[in-house]
């Protein structure tokens, strides 16, 4: 089944196919019944006394032909619908991203930014796509950093839709109208809003009320919607439909698929939608202009990569900092025999914590938009540099947050003199991630964001599009002397780092996580679980995690480091970490990150996992 024949292929999905995908996703919903027969007696497949059981409360989801694991069940289902309609992994992730825009609106938007990491199975190559926009040309670098947190001056050019089109053009097969159909339906007709989203809206109510277009969407009747009530965004449905219509009109005029997708791209970045963004930005006193939107282009590049225990690990390059962090962390711990440490051993957690400190110090010193600064990427990724930096890790004691080093010198050249600002604390980031594989063996991981929760808190005019706050501190450096300080036309850093792992050229894993500063930490711990602990994918995802927090920020050497640890980590382990010099802050049992991923075993079987920390869900067929 192929949807390339014009704009009319907007549905075309047989009910039998939809039922197949729905059944494939029901394994998790049936979970409470595992190990218990309907009569209340022991089920025949329940574990016997003394038998080992899988240490996860969800099963992995098999994907013999393909599937999607995403941050919401409706997004995973929408992506899998595209696969059943004859689409590719690229078609699946575009459809899923569009739905995430509707069902997880506080963390995902067409007005956001992100990265994708793509395995082209036929070519045997891995590619990175950056769809992150630059600061407006009218930006004033001397502006009060407070205006970069939320409101009309906090935004960067929205790159997400350009990324959708780039993925569809290079690796997709179906019309954009087909890919947007599920999202249009949910935005127009509504979907039961999850209680967690209602809580986010309720907590943000004070800021939401500052912006009338945003309050109209999220606070109907002046308050947050009721849990599971139908949530609609009719303005966004019309925006999405106008993009589909632009493609359809081009196809009717004789355009081929590529030119028709370009017509939709132009409708967003130079046409009526861009004009509405420009109008509303001017009205609100913002810096964004039509010229900024017209200048934007998504960027294909080689991913950053390293080897770990014989595996090839690929992640996002600058302007993502997480790709460098992931590779540096793996290089550092490769010098330790992690597999020899017993499960739950505090020495294992200690080594991971110390590797994160060193990697962040080095990456935060250098990472910035390559068009504005020449970061020593090759040096940061080198094994020799990791060997020299590994000497900072004391296997028995917590170290201070160090000064970043110069890879060219394999040592510090001089201490950086940082300006002391009244408030240089990084603002949190909220993101979503999804991964897909298709029947041809292609794989894509995407992590997309609007920055902090609700981004700018500003829905742009009558478009229904919530914009990113990509200029906030954290994505930008507080110190004017740092190469990542805000500047007109400069692309701020993102924590997004979707990852692909190959084993002798064959797909081993594909995954990504949201979580701002915790993204690289979550993915690092999960990969160690998969490789060094040989965990199944769902168990690796559910395993208790920790995350480092820096006060005032990871930009400042000597920052006070707190290790937030999920309280499923045994108390005696946390006590031993404290005795080693770590400052420990217990948090909820499922509180850090929300990784989705797919693991391929040596036989070629593909199994997906989804994180219970949010609304993650996997659907396979």
């Amino acid at each position: 089944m192929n949807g390339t024949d014009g704009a009319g292929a907007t549905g075309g999905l047989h009910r039998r196919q939809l039922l197949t995908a729905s059944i494939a996703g029901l394994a998790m919903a049936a979970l409470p019944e595992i190990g218990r027969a309907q009569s209340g007696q022991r089920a025949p497949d329940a574990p016997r006394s003394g038998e080992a059981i899988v240490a996860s409360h969800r099963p992995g989801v098999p994907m013999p032909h393909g599937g999607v694991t995403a941050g919401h069940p409706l997004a995973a289902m929408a992506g899998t619908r595209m696969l059943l309609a004859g689409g590719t992994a690229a078609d699946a992730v575009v459809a899923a991203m569009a739905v995430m825009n509707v069902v997880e609106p506080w963390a995902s938007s067409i007005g956001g930014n992100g990265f994708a990491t793509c395995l082209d199975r036929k070519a045997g190559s891995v590619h990175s796509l950056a769809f992150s926009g630059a600061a407006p040309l009218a930006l004033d670098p001397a502006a009060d950093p407070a205006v970069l947190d939320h409101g009309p001056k906090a935004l960067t050019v929205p790159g997400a839709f350009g990324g959708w089109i780039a993925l569809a053009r290079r690796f997709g097969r179906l019309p954009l109208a087909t890919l947007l159909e599920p999202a249009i339906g949910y935005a127009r007709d509504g979907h039961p809003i999850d209680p967690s989203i209602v809580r986010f809206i309720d907590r943000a109510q004070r800021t939401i009320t500052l912006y009338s277009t945003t309050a109209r969407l999220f606070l109907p009747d002046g308050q947050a919607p009721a849990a599971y009530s139908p949530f609609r965004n009719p303005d966004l449905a019309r925006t999405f439909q106008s993009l589909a219509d632009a493609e359809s009109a081009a196809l009717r005029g004789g355009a081929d698929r590529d030119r028709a997708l370009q017509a939709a791209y132009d409708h967003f970045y130079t046409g009526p939608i861009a004009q509405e963004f420009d109008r509303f930005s001017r009205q609100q006193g913002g810096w964004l202009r039509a010229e900024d939107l017209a200048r934007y282009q998504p960027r294909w590049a080689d991913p950053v990569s390293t080897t770990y225990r014989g595996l090839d690990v690929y992640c996002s390059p600058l302007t993502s900092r997480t790709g460098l962090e992931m590779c540096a962390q793996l290089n550092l711990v490769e010098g330790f025999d992690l597999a020899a440490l017993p499960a739950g051993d505090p020495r294992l957690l200690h080594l991971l914590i110390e590797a994160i400190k060193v990697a962040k110090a080095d990456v935060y010193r250098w990472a910035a938009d390559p068009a504005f600064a020449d970061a020593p990427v090759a040096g940061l990724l080198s094994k020799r540099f990791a060997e020299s930096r590994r000497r900072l890790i004391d296997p028995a004691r917590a170290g201070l947050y160090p000064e970043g080093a110069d890879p060219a010198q394999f040592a510090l050249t001089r201490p950086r003199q940082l300006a002391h600002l009244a408030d240089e604390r990084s603002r949190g980031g909220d993101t979503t991630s999804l991964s897909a594989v298709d029947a041809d063996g292609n794989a894509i991981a995407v992590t997309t964001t609007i920055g902090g929760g609700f981004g700018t808190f500003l829905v742009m005019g009558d478009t229904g599009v919530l914009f990113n706050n990509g200029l906030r501190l954290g994505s930008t450096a507080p110190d004017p002397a740092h190469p990542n300080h805000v500047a007109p036309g400069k692309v701020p850093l993102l924590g997004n780092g979707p990852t692909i792992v190959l084993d002798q050229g064959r797909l081993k894993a594909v995954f990504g996580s949201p979580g701002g500063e915790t993204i690289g930490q979550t993915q690092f711990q999960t990969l160690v679980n998969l490789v060094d602990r040989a965990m199944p994918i769902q168990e690796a995802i559910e395993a208790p995690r920790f995350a480092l927090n820096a006060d005032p920020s990871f930009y400042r050497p000597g920052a006070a480091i707190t290790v937030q640890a999920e309280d499923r980590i045994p108390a005696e382990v946390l006590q031993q970490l404290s005795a080693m010099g770590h400052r420990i802050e217990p948090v909820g049992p499922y509180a850090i990150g929300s990784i989705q991923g797919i693991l391929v075993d040596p036989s070629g079987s593909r199994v997906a996992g989804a994180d219970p920390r949010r609304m993650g869900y996997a659907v396979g067929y």
Side-chain angles (χ1 to χ4, degrees), residues 472-494:
R472 72 196 187 285
L473 291 182
S475 280
T476 58
D479 178 25
H482 194 282
N484 189 39
H485 189 63
V486 291
K490 183 185 287 186
V491 179
L493 296 181
L494 291 178

Side-chain angles (χ1 to χ4, degrees), residues 308-309 333 336-342 348 351-352 528 532-533:
Y308 184 67
R309 316 288 194 207
V333 299
F336 301 100
D337 188 359
L338 302 184
L341 294 173
L348 172 61
L351 291 173
L352 301 184
V528 167
D532 295 286
R533 314 308 302 177

